[in-house]
Amino acid sequence: MNQTDKPIANPIVVLREEFDDWAVLFNSDTAAAVGTNPVGVAVWKLMDGKRNIEGIVSEIKNSFEGTPDAAGEEIAAFVNILVENGFVGLELGSKIANV
């Protein structure tokens, strides 16, 4: 994934929010599930194919006080894991990949 790619949540994946703003992402096509913390939930909700990683990181920094400088790398790594496991695709110009 490069910096201009825009992540987009796979519409098959279900976000189930649990207590304390934690959540589980469930992919019914693969039966895979991933647990995520409140920041991951916020990142998930921002993956609409309109923002690149930089835009998502900016939104997270505005929403979460004291966001560390390494947040961009961590968010990019999180999104890459989701892409690799079919939870997220990437908006590549006029095409969507991996969904």
Side-chain angles (χ1 to χ4, degrees):
M1 177 173 72
N2 65 51
Q3 292 296 344
T4 60
D5 295 341
K6 297 175 182 175
I8 186 166
N10 183 339
I12 297 294
V13 175
V14 175
L15 171 71
R16 178 175 172 171
E17 295 185 67
E18 301 290 335
F19 61 93
D20 295 336
D21 296 325
W22 283 68
V24 175
L25 296 169
F26 176 71
N27 185 333
S28 61
D29 279 348
T30 64
V34 173
T36 188
N37 64 23
V39 175
V41 172
V43 169
W44 176 261
K45 291 178 178 180
L46 292 168
M47 290 190 287
D48 57 8
K50 297 177 183 175
R51 298 172 186 86
N52 59 17
I53 294 296
E54 209 171 271
I56 291 171
V57 171
S58 177
E59 292 283 338
I60 294 299
K61 286 183 176 183
N62 289 334
S63 299
F64 291 87
E65 189 174 316
T67 304
D69 292 336
E73 294 170 13
E74 293 175 16
I75 289 170
F78 174 64
V79 173
N80 277 326
I81 289 168
L82 294 177
V83 168
E84 290 169 7
N85 290 287
F87 289 88
V88 171
L90 298 172
E91 182 72 31
L92 307 171
S94 63
K95 299 179 181 177
I96 297 177
N98 294 329
V99 174

